[in-house]
Amino acid sequence: MSKEKIALFTIFGGTGDLAKRKLYPSLYRLYKKGFLAEKFAVIGTARREWTDEYYRDIVMDSINGLAESYEHAAEFASHFYYQSHNVTDIEHYSTLKKLTETLDEKYQLEGNRLFYLAMSPNFFGIISQNLKDGLLLTDSGFNRLIIEKPFGHNYSSALELNEQIRASFAEDQIYRIDHYLGKEMVQNISAVRFANNMFESMWNNRYIDNIQITLSESLGVEERGGYYDTSGALRDMLQNHILQMVSLLAMEPPTRLHDKEIRAEKIKALQAVRLFKPEDVPHYLVRGQYGRSTVNGEHFEGYREELNVAPDSQTETFVAGKIMIDNFRWSGVPFYFRTGKRLAEKGTQIDIEFKNVPLNLFNDNSDEPLPPNVLTIYIQPTEGFSLELNTKKVGLGLETETLKLEQKHSAETTANSPEAYEKLILDCLNGDSTNFTHWDEVASSWKFVDIIRQAWDNETIDFPNYPSGSMGPIESDLLLTKDGFQWHWCPTKE
Ligand code: NAP
């Protein structure tokens, strides 16, 4: 059976950063692998007055370095068409409709339409409505809508946005991107759990002491200060990526590894996340903002000195917290997380700390417990696993040492593994929504985050409270030490 997918892509925001950096290279990778061949076309649309030729040059530029040959790249780019269009102007949708129908016929696209909204979420509602009112949705093929984050800035705005979109698209036609879900190792969480009885049989509160999720960035806000100052780490990272990882780690085994079954289990896990009372927030959450500092002779500005950031900004660039899941499997097991900018090292990893043996038989002279067994899932920049075990040191005594079994994919394998966007676009073409976020997941996540946001908004804090190049404020360490744990990953000590 041919693996070729047949579709017309209409990319709103076709002149933007996301389209150039991620979407065009991902489409080219799919073309190179034969998932896209003859029967596909792309309409790029935005307000700028570009010609098809200019647009194709931009597309060619964006795949520079990936292309097999100039001819191959040019052949790919010949499927791209540009339509200048202001999304708020209803008239323009009739021009778009004409082009859509022409390309549908020219490339025999069978009425399959994928609309990618690579632009500000303020426009998602109006575009969805105009696509329907302008009769751009087809009856003959599929209509699918891919939308970028952020999906609202709190529960009520997300609900309003969802209602606007749902007036034109059904839930199973909406693909809400969380690019973390396209990452190989995030998808691998299910394989670790459900393909290894050794882990799945221990995946509960009888054997796991705590789980730690770290998404750490070494860069600051760069040129995104204006956007970031209205968002902050809580909305930018916890509401989506972190809670998605929690749901994959915590969900019950689905009956099949199919989208509906997996989503149903993820939703149940998220609905079991304990909602804090506002007065509990300080006990479970820590926020931080980076200050200026000099690391290895290099000077870094503080967050408040960054471009387009208010000099008295109360926006958090770091958040750490403890999530509790109130169900039989996880009762009593803290899921700690931390994420922030200008931290010591860039990296995303999950550390699963298993409960210790009840007694240390190996060191009569010490009350020290043995180090716990830890399973680490490395997500980026390197992908892989490690498992820490205790073994006997070679020699006459009974001293132990930690053995780290580690498998990290080579730089070459990582470089050749599909890009998150490539996988997600292919999933969407296949109608597989496993790695996209369902509205019920979005709703549960916002309800959790809103309580924290409201509690924080009622109180000003003495920022900055962590230096650039550290792993966040000291309170993030205390969050664990007061429970008898510590962060397993400590780049500042390595
Ligand atoms: P961007 O570079 O600012 O692009 C915005 C696009 O929207 C441009 O093509 C712009 O083109 C178009 N546009 C703006 N107003 C318009 C209007 N009234 N009618 C028609 N087109 C209009 O933004 P981006 O970085 O690509 O981000 C796009 C979306 O992806 C956002 O939701 C963002 O949060 C999300 N996202 C981006 C990234 C990333 O790496 N960039 C990562 C994750 C999520 P004209 O000015 O020519 O109209």
Side-chain angles (χ1 to χ4, degrees), residues 243 270-278 280-281 284-285 322-326 443-452:
L243 284 169
L270 284 172
Q271 287 170 344
V273 168
R274 186 184 304 167
L275 294 181
F276 302 126
K277 296 193 190 79
D280 290 338
V281 168
Y284 287 90
L285 273 299
K322 174 162 94 167
I323 291 172
M324 301 305 293
I325 299 180
D326 292 325
S444 298
S445 306
W446 274 127
K447 285 179 189 167
F448 178 75
V449 163
D450 277 358
I451 297 168
I452 304 167

Side-chain angles (χ1 to χ4, degrees), residues 373-443:
N373 298 139
V374 179
L375 170 69
T376 298
I377 304 176
Y378 302 99
I379 291 168
Q380 69 177 24
T382 17
E383 299 178 348
F385 301 98
S386 68
L387 182 61
E388 289 175 26
L389 303 170
N390 295 307
T391 56
K392 194 185 95 54
K393 254 190 193 166
V394 176
L396 297 176
L398 273 181
E399 264 185 86
T400 59
E401 63 184 351
T402 302
L403 169 74
K404 190 167 177 177
L405 303 175
E406 189 170 72
Q407 190 265 333
K408 282 189 176 172
H409 291 307
S410 68
E412 196 190 350
T413 313
T414 308
N416 289 334
S417 77
E419 263 269 333
Y421 276 92
E422 176 190 347
K423 286 177 115 176
L424 293 171
I425 292 172
L426 182 60
D427 282 351
C428 181
L429 286 167
N430 284 326
D432 179 351
S433 50
T434 310
N435 297 308
F436 296 85
T437 332
H438 188 277
W439 163 246
D440 292 347
E441 296 171 70
V442 177

Side-chain angles (χ1 to χ4, degrees), residues 13 15-18 21 47-48 85-87 118-119 148-149:
T15 59
D17 175 69
L18 182 76
R21 280 195 314 110
R47 287 166 306 179
R48 258 159 268 193
H85 168 102
N86 188 329
V87 293
M119 51 189 297
E148 276 293 335
K149 73 161 199 181

Side-chain angles (χ1 to χ4, degrees), residues 460-479:
T460 46
I461 192 165
D462 199 10
F463 281 153
N465 62 350
Y466 71 94
S468 297
S470 68
M471 279 309 276
I474 184 75
E475 288 77 10
S476 155
D477 296 337
L478 300 178
L479 190 70

Side-chain angles (χ1 to χ4, degrees), residues 50-84:
W50 284 1
T51 60
D52 287 347
E53 288 65 36
Y54 186 74
Y55 183 45
R56 287 172 192 163
D57 285 346
I58 296 282
V59 171
M60 298 271 283
D61 267 359
S62 74
I63 58 171
N64 197 4
L66 287 177
E68 273 174 18
S69 65
Y70 178 83
E71 290 69 31
H72 197 249
E75 179 56 40
F76 168 73
S78 72
H79 290 251
F80 284 66
Y81 296 80
Y82 186 77
Q83 176 67 58
S84 172

Side-chain angles (χ1 to χ4, degrees), residues 229-270:
D229 212 35
T230 60
S231 164
L234 190 69
R235 290 186 175 124
D236 200 39
M237 303 298 277
L238 175 62
Q239 184 273 329
N240 35 57
H241 313 316
I242 292 175
L243 284 169
Q244 281 296 318
M245 282 195 239
V246 168
S247 68
L248 284 168
L249 289 161
M251 71 180 182
E252 291 300 311
T255 45
R256 294 186 310 164
L257 278 182
H258 286 192
D259 49 359
K260 285 197 178 53
E261 286 80 359
I262 294 179
R263 276 178 158 189
E265 296 307 337
K266 283 171 69 194
I267 291 166
K268 273 195 260 168
L270 284 172

